[in-house]
Amino acid sequence: MSALLDIKQLSLHTENVRLLYGVDLTIAPGERVGLIGESGSGKSLTAMAATGLLPTNIRASGSITLAGRPVIDASEHQLNLLRGSAAAVVFQEPLTALDPLMRIGRQIAEPLRRRAARDGQRLSGTELDAAVLAMMGDVALPDPERIARAYPHEISGGQRQRVAIAMALACKPSLLIADEPTTALDVTTQAEILCLLDRLVRERNMALLFISHDLPVVAGIVDRVVVLRQGEVVEAGPVHQVFAHPQHAYTQSLVAAAHAFDTALGAAP
Amino acid sequence: MTTLDQIAAPNRRRRFGSLTLWAGIALVGIHIAVGLLTVVWSPYDPSGMTGGRLEAPSWLHWAGTDRLGRDFLTQIMIGSRIALIVGTGAAAIGAIIGVTLGLLAAFATKLLDDAFAATLDILIAFPTLLIAMLVVAAADTANLGSAIFALGIALSAIVARLTRILTKRVLLLDYITAARTSGTSWLGIVFRHILPNIWPTLSVSFALQFGLAAIAEASLSYLGLGAPPPNASWGRLLQEAQGTVYTAPIGAIAPGIALVSLVIGINLLADGLRDSVDPTRRAR
Ligand SMILES: Nc1ncnc2c1ncn2[C@@H]1O[C@H](COP(=O)(O)OP(=O)(O)OP(=O)(O)O)[C@@H](O)[C@H]1O
Ligand SMILES: [Mg+2]
């Protein structure tokens, strides 16, 4: 079975700084992988590199294959065909990830229509409206008809993130990349969104690359984790193994912090 | 007390916002109505000597007559039409050229973009009027068309610079990246996300350009570089009134008021429109 996303010896550098050194990351179809690391360790850059969206001042070396096609040095046209259908991204900050001047319904309709067009179908009018409402139902948005007509600033942060997830899912990607999708949310909403992602990815048989700086958040929904520190992979393996026997000092500190947190929760009345 | 004030505030803001819009619509509307009217009707024949020379305002000639005995109100009214044509034409040419160039620059490679930005800064350092005069001089026949074209070219540098900056700012935002990760083409991004998001600011700028163009056209005509007679541009009226400003002050006052009211009107209109275009500013 060939990998859906295959990153080999990826290094990223600007003119004078190296940001990522020899990162390896493989995701098989349907597999769920967590990418963990502290702030600034290069998690988002890895995700951007996978979809060929690196900032122009950053050069990449090594190889990235997405759905069997090379990403590094691919033309914008080839990349556009991959984006959406091979991989779609949910971002950290749900407010800025939505166009402030476009109604929610239209923002979800756009990827739905584009995906249908790629599959050789035409989706428009009432059919498209129905698909949008169905999509909003899938991500458990309350009162979809009202929210479809609302602008991003008129709905809550958790609802915005559900919209962003709906937009990513509307592309029907083989791989969903979630870049810290819950960091900007409160704990309860965070748990809801995690459950939702977990369920949707399972239902649709998608692969998932879940990015976070928080080990416990990731542990619940992925099979395998890759730990990144200062641009280098320091540890990789099945989630239970990394949890039980962390090899690298940095991972050990992450696990210890997670346990301390659990204990603190357990001790609370 | 404070809480009451706070509750009332948004409401007052909305009233004020719509007041701006309505004042703008009223002022610009009067000029448009007058301008259209002159196409089919004017109080007197604009080039006919219908009264004595330099008559004071009277029931027959509401704004008096000029030094050739022509009805002055008729000339002011025709001036509205010319100012509107020049303002709209120049702003439209400036907008089309400027927005296109600005978008291209924002998407260009760094080297091209830097060269472009430097060129624009140099162009903008020259006064609009000076550039327009150069273009008119190069065209060697002064007519309404060449004045419009010249002002449009001069304004396009300002529009291009604004478009470039606004686009670059929007391009950095997450929703553009999100649109790109889901496979939206560049054209799709420009028309669906960038233009709608920079439009509120651009439209205000277009209105300012309209005002600039109307003033610049008056200046060109004042200098004898604008549309030749019988196009009664306000600038030419002002220039003709120059020698008689003490004996017949209305000749300088009336075109001045007409020009100022149009420019203020278009600015108020733009301000009001921006608030109603942008849903995050719109009072609900
Ligand atoms: N366009 C850029 N040019 C130069 N350096 C950059 C650029 N973008 C990111 N970096 C640097 O690359 C490093 C990794 O950034 P990245 O955004 O991948 O971090 P991250 O792991 O996602 O952190 P966070 O958890 O805070 O989102 C950072 O040190 C950052 O300063
Ligand atoms: Mg990040």
Side-chain angles (χ1 to χ4, degrees):
Chain A
M1 190 172 62
S2 68
L4 180 58
L5 173 66
D6 194 6
I7 300 182
K8 281 208 178 74
Q9 288 301 306
L10 175 68
S11 296
L12 300 178
H13 39 95
T14 61
E15 249 156 52
N16 37 33
V17 198
R18 284 177 44 125
L19 301 170
L20 222 58
Y21 317 78
V23 167
D24 288 312
L25 178 70
T26 326
I27 302 179
E31 196 185 14
R32 297 125 70 84
V33 176
L35 184 59
I36 309 172
E38 61 198 353
S39 184
S41 54
K43 307 182 296 288
S44 297
L45 285 181
T46 311
M48 288 291 101
T51 50
L53 276 174
L54 283 173
T56 46
N57 62 334
I58 296 182
R59 298 259 143 270
S61 59
S63 90
I64 302 175
T65 321
L66 181 59
R69 287 165 199 275
V71 172
I72 296 179
D73 296 331
S75 73
E76 195 61 24
H77 175 72
Q78 288 168 326
L79 285 173
N80 249 345
L81 293 177
L82 279 180
R83 290 178 192 143
S85 40
V89 186
V90 178
F91 291 91
Q92 172 170 352
E93 196 38 75
L95 180 56
T96 56
L98 304 179
D99 188 329
L101 297 189
M102 206 188 267
R103 291 179 200 277
I104 301 295
R106 258 195 81 202
Q107 308 211 33
I108 300 178
E110 202 38 53
L112 274 173
R113 192 192 53 73
R114 193 167 340 106
R115 177 64 206 215
R118 279 185 185 178
D119 293 343
Q121 295 153 356
R122 258 183 60 87
L123 197 58
S124 59
T126 48
E127 246 180 294
L128 183 57
D129 292 347
V132 169
L133 291 182
M135 196 74 236
M136 295 175 78
D138 285 352
V139 295
L141 273 166
D143 199 356
E145 260 144 45
R146 178 183 68 83
I147 291 186
R149 282 192 308 272
Y151 288 97
H153 72 278
E154 296 168 343
I155 62 177
S156 78
Q159 289 169 343
R160 281 180 210 134
Q161 198 56 291
R162 285 172 198 269
V163 171
I165 293 173
M167 285 167 66
L169 290 180
C171 304
K172 288 197 208 157
S174 316
L175 169 66
L176 183 70
I177 301 177
D179 189 352
E180 310 202 39
T182 58
T183 310
L185 306 173
D186 66 74
V187 182
T188 329
T189 320
Q190 185 171 346
E192 283 170 17
I193 298 277
L194 283 177
C195 272
L196 178 76
L197 267 178
D198 188 44
R199 174 170 66 77
L200 290 170
V201 170
R202 250 180 239 286
E203 274 173 13
R204 284 153 209 250
N205 242 333
M206 281 185 288
L208 174 70
L209 176 61
F210 193 98
I211 298 176
S212 178
H213 55 253
D214 207 0
L215 192 54
V217 165
V218 181
I221 79 171
V222 301
D223 317 315
R224 216 150 52 73
V225 288
V226 174
V227 183
L228 208 57
R229 184 161 195 237
Q230 292 174 357
E232 271 180 295
V233 173
V234 293
E235 188 148 354
V239 74
H240 56 87
Q241 185 187 326
V242 171
F243 239 108
H245 310 287
Q247 301 296 313
H248 193 274
Y250 174 61
T251 325
Q252 284 164 4
S253 71
L254 277 182
V255 173
H259 281 315
F261 185 66
D262 273 355
T263 325
L265 272 189
Chain B
M1 275 320 280
T2 347
T3 45
L4 249 180
D5 276 346
Q6 279 162 355
I7 292 166
N11 205 7
R12 207 174 322 146
R13 161 96 191 103
R14 184 177 62 201
R15 288 233 183 88
F16 182 69
S18 62
L19 189 70
T20 315
L21 183 64
W22 285 114
I25 289 176
L27 281 174
V28 176
I30 289 173
H31 280 284
I32 292 178
V34 168
L36 286 177
L37 182 65
T38 60
V39 177
V40 291
W41 180 86
S42 56
Y44 290 93
D45 173 11
S47 46
M49 280 142 230
T50 53
R53 306 171 65 192
L54 290 176
E55 269 179 29
S58 65
W59 275 116
L60 277 177
H61 301 283
W62 288 6
T65 58
D66 70 0
R67 56 187 178 164
L68 295 176
R70 295 173 301 196
D71 180 55
F72 203 53
L73 184 64
T74 304
Q75 314 231 18
I76 302 268
M77 287 170 65
I78 289 176
S80 277
R81 183 173 80 207
I82 292 175
L84 285 170
I85 291 174
V86 172
T88 314
I93 291 176
I96 291 168
I97 299 179
V99 170
T100 313
L101 286 182
L103 282 171
L104 287 177
F107 283 107
T109 57
K110 178 140 174 34
L111 202 70
L112 256 177
D113 181 40
D114 286 348
F116 185 80
T119 316
L120 284 183
D121 284 343
I122 293 172
L123 274 181
I124 290 170
F126 287 99
T128 310
L129 191 59
L130 192 61
I131 300 180
M133 282 166 67
L134 289 174
V135 178
V136 170
D140 74 37
T141 49
N143 58 37
L144 205 58
S146 66
I148 292 173
F149 181 71
L151 290 170
I153 297 284
L155 293 178
S156 67
I158 303 175
V159 178
R161 184 165 72 167
L162 182 66
T163 308
R164 171 178 166 273
I165 294 169
L166 291 174
T167 306
K168 291 208 135 196
R169 215 169 58 190
V170 173
L171 275 178
L172 291 178
L173 299 176
D174 278 354
Y175 62 85
I176 300 292
T177 318
R180 290 185 69 198
T181 55
S182 70
T184 315
S185 65
W186 278 119
L187 274 183
I189 287 180
V190 166
F191 284 105
R192 216 164 292 124
H193 297 293
I194 294 179
L195 285 179
N197 274 286
I198 66 178
W199 178 250
T201 314
L202 274 187
S203 64
V204 175
S205 148
F206 291 158
L208 293 177
Q209 317 296 333
F210 180 104
L212 271 182
I215 293 172
E217 191 278 332
S219 313
L220 279 181
S221 296
Y222 184 85
L223 296 170
L225 291 169
N231 294 305
S233 155
W234 292 329
R236 200 166 52 74
L237 297 184
L238 281 171
Q239 193 260 328
E240 283 172 2
Q242 188 168 290
T244 56
V245 69
Y246 293 113
T247 45
I250 183 107
I253 294 169
I257 289 178
L259 181 58
V260 168
S261 67
L262 177 62
V263 173
I264 289 180
I266 196 80
N267 279 291
L268 291 177
L269 183 68
D271 226 35
L273 275 183
R274 181 196 45 204
D275 289 351
S276 63
V277 163
D278 186 345
T280 56
R281 296 175 66 117
R282 191 158 53 206
R284 330 203 82 243

